[in-house]
Amino acid sequence: MPARPRIHPESRAFSALLGLLAALPTFGIDMILPSLSETAAALHVPTAAMGAAMAVYLLGLGAALLVYGPVSDRLGRRPAIVCGCLLLIGGSLGCAASRTLPQILLSRAVQGIGAAGPGMAVFAMVRDLFAGEAARARMSFVVLIVNVVPMVAPTLGAGLMDVGGWRLIHAAPLAAALTILAAMPRVAETLPCAPGPAPSGILRAYRKILANRGFLGHALCNAAAAGAVFAYITGSALVFVGALGFSPSAYGLLFGSSSLSVMAGAALNGRLAARGINSHRVIGAGLAGATLLAAMLLVDALVFTPSGVPVIAAMAGMGLAFGLVSPNAIHGATEAAPEAAGTAGAIVFCLQMIGAAIASDLVARLFDGRSALSMAAVMLGGCLAAIAAFAGLVRPAARPSSSRFPSQRHGEPV
């Protein structure tokens, strides 16, 4: 039987594969949200105890990222993807079969560890295969998927729960992992021939990357911007359902429609990249717009009667701005460490998850039960932190004398 043809990196099939890889980590975060109460009832535990199911997933995801990155630089991207998908399948089956809280917590941790492999590999693969404006455009697509999934996953989870209960929700990441595994024989290894750091040099590689101002500035800028976005993801549910009395279905439709703004931002960024617009200008414009919107929402929350209109406007504007900032920030970070793209991508994604988790927790803890004040304050804080990282670390590192790494593939300094 003749071998099936390889999936070419420029093909739509390869773009679909990148989308699946990027979506896997966030599937496990957001899709189970509608099922927490039903899962708690089925396991005979308080609903509040199910918060640990989110925490162990994030812990497993974040910790595993820091291992997958350098390992993929040594062994390749394909082993990281295959190993991660196998663990994700096992964790998903474990979640669906769980009968006690400890069982589902263990399975959720395995899910997180598994999802980290494909989630990290997608950033490294883009850096391996594409350069310059093509890399920026592909990174826009990846960031689009990463940020649209949290907006549609709760609705998809609710639909699966209506069909087959809370256990069926875990079939979605399992099906995605199986699809990726089926495609992997047709995907060539993207890691360059030269191996990355040996196991003994992993810590040295991390220190070298983190010492680079350009990398750290781009990575922290992206993490802080992600925090601002997750502030509105978490805060919007509290405001619309908890404070303004929207039904869950109405809120789901409203929230799902806000994904269009992220899509618009990513599409606009792709067009700007095609025209050769400098990525620093795009990041600066996105941060300026997001900060202005967050400040306006904060003033509205402090002065006026709570209303959904300014929150909707802020959600749309923040999604658009993030679609401009994040692809360029991630691309700038991975370009700053070309010889260790897997390790660099792991750090970027880990910092993004940390920023998102901190922002979500702050919004929930500070919510006053009636307004968008906590949402607006955390959004503004995230925007200001992103500006500080970009202005304080990225701009100085853009000068050739400041770069600790060799020039890029196109001869441009970091």
Side-chain angles (χ1 to χ4, degrees):
M1 183 176 180
R4 300 180 68 185
R6 294 282 189 182
I7 298 176
H8 194 275
E10 299 291 344
S11 67
R12 292 183 179 179
F14 192 80
S15 295
L17 176 63
L18 291 180
L20 273 177
L21 293 172
L24 276 188
T26 47
F27 260 140
I29 299 172
D30 301 282
M31 188 170 288
I32 72 165
L33 292 177
S35 69
L36 293 181
S37 297
E38 184 175 317
T39 305
L43 301 180
H44 308 291
V45 297
T47 302
M50 289 306 299
M54 298 296 289
V56 296
Y57 182 92
L58 290 171
L59 287 173
L61 179 65
L65 282 169
L66 301 179
V67 176
Y68 277 118
V71 168
S72 77
D73 284 334
R74 182 69 183 177
L75 302 179
R77 318 306 181 198
R78 283 164 49 92
I81 294 172
V82 171
C83 177
C85 286
L86 291 175
L87 287 172
L88 182 61
I89 290 170
S92 299
L93 290 173
C95 285
S98 294
R99 293 291 184 270
T100 66
L101 181 62
Q103 288 175 353
I104 199 169
L105 292 183
L106 176 60
S107 298
R108 286 285 291 167
V110 174
Q111 273 189 322
I113 294 170
M120 175 284 308
V122 67
F123 295 109
M125 290 172 70
V126 170
R127 176 59 183 79
D128 293 340
L129 294 171
F130 305 98
E133 311 310 332
R136 285 176 61 189
R138 286 286 178 155
M139 200 65 77
S140 293
F141 173 75
V142 171
V143 170
L144 168 66
I145 297 298
V146 170
N147 291 281
V148 167
V149 168
M151 299 176 182
V152 301
T155 303
L156 178 59
L160 289 174
M161 190 171 66
D162 289 340
V163 172
W166 66 271
R167 299 182 190 277
L168 186 60
I169 286 180
H170 298 285
L174 185 150
L178 288 173
T179 302
I180 292 171
L181 287 178
M184 289 314 296
R186 300 179 59 195
V187 178
E189 176 58 61
T190 65
L191 180 68
C193 294
S200 61
I202 288 178
L203 291 180
R204 193 181 312 116
Y206 274 121
R207 286 197 300 268
K208 186 177 181 181
I209 292 173
L210 291 172
N212 181 272
R213 292 174 65 94
F215 170 84
L216 193 59
H218 279 107
L220 291 176
C221 175
N222 178 69
V229 169
F230 271 80
Y232 90 65
I233 290 175
T234 302
S236 61
L238 298 174
V239 171
F240 283 108
V241 179
L244 300 179
F246 280 51
S247 68
S249 58
Y251 165 70
L253 291 173
L254 177 65
F255 189 70
S257 64
S258 69
S259 65
L260 295 175
S261 64
V262 182
M263 295 172 65
L268 176 58
N269 182 67
R271 290 183 176 273
L272 294 175
R275 295 185 179 185
I277 304 298
N278 184 276
S279 62
H280 286 188
R281 293 177 60 187
V282 178
I283 291 175
L287 291 178
T291 304
L292 178 61
L293 283 168
M296 293 173 63
L297 182 62
L298 181 61
V299 171
D300 179 85
L302 289 170
V303 175
F304 299 103
T305 302
S307 168
V309 174
V311 179
I312 294 172
M315 288 169 61
M318 189 64 67
L320 178 66
F322 191 71
L324 294 174
V325 173
S326 189
N328 292 291
I330 295 174
H331 174 63
T334 54
E335 282 289 287
E339 76 286 4
T343 304
I347 298 174
V348 170
F349 196 25
C350 182
L351 288 175
Q352 179 171 323
M353 298 305 300
I354 291 173
I358 291 174
S360 297
D361 183 67
L362 283 175
V363 170
R365 287 177 182 273
L366 300 176
F367 181 55
D368 59 11
R370 60 181 182 82
S371 73
L373 184 59
S374 68
M375 170 183 170
V378 177
M379 284 170 60
L380 182 59
C383 291
L384 293 176
I387 290 174
F390 182 69
L393 294 172
V394 175
R395 303 294 293 190
R399 292 191 288 269
S401 60
S402 298
S403 178
R404 293 174 182 252
F405 282 90
S407 296
Q408 304 303 310
R409 287 177 291 178
H410 303 291
E412 296 176 359
V414 176

